[in-house]
Amino acid sequence: MRHSFKVMHDEVHTVKVRISPGWARWVGEKIWHESQKAKKNGDGSLDLTFRVAGLDEIKRWVLSFGPEAQVLEPKKLKEMLLKDLRKCVHLYTLLTIQSKSFIESSA
């Protein structure tokens, strides 16, 4: 479990995440993983690097910060996030269209 972000056991990846300046202090105050390395940037953002087993758990962790976190590496994690975010956009686009259609048909 040494490389597990929480409980997953899988291929070990180096993950680098940039936290926005507005959230850097709060995120940087906590140890999220035993492999965590932090680097403060000149713009106030924070780069966190982890060695983790699997990407699913850290993907959910990154998503929990919304636009305040940006994955810098690995490419595979970026692709996983993009796939999930596209699904979310599609879902909410459909819901918006359906709601609009319902409102217009009720008028």
Side-chain angles (χ1 to χ4, degrees):
M1 281 199 38
R2 186 171 149 233
H3 292 289
S4 298
F5 195 74
K6 296 255 182 203
V7 295
M8 298 296 287
H9 304 280
D10 204 342
E11 179 184 350
V12 176
H13 300 270
T14 298
V15 174
K16 188 173 183 180
V17 179
R18 178 160 295 150
I19 305 298
S20 71
W23 283 53
R25 181 175 175 212
W26 177 78
V27 174
E29 289 177 350
K30 184 170 180 178
I31 303 297
W32 300 94
H33 189 266
E34 67 179 25
S35 71
Q36 178 175 322
K37 292 182 181 165
K39 177 186 161 265
K40 292 180 182 178
N41 298 310
D43 66 354
S45 64
L46 178 70
D47 289 351
L48 295 174
T49 304
F50 307 96
R51 294 270 302 149
V52 298
L55 295 173
D56 287 327
E57 288 180 301
I58 198 158
K59 177 187 77 168
R60 287 189 289 278
W61 179 79
V62 169
L63 286 169
S64 75
F65 292 104
E68 307 302 328
Q70 175 190 8
V71 171
L72 303 177
E73 49 185 76
K75 182 179 180 182
K76 181 178 178 180
L77 180 55
K78 289 184 202 181
E79 290 167 351
M80 291 168 65
L81 285 160
L82 188 56
K83 182 179 176 182
D84 282 3
L85 291 169
R86 282 185 174 140
K87 285 181 187 177
C88 286
V89 167
H90 180 72
L91 172 67
Y92 283 99
T93 301
L94 283 177
L95 289 173
T96 301
I97 291 168
Q98 289 170 354
S99 293
K100 186 177 179 184
S101 295
F102 175 76
I103 291 168
E104 289 172 354
S105 69
S106 299

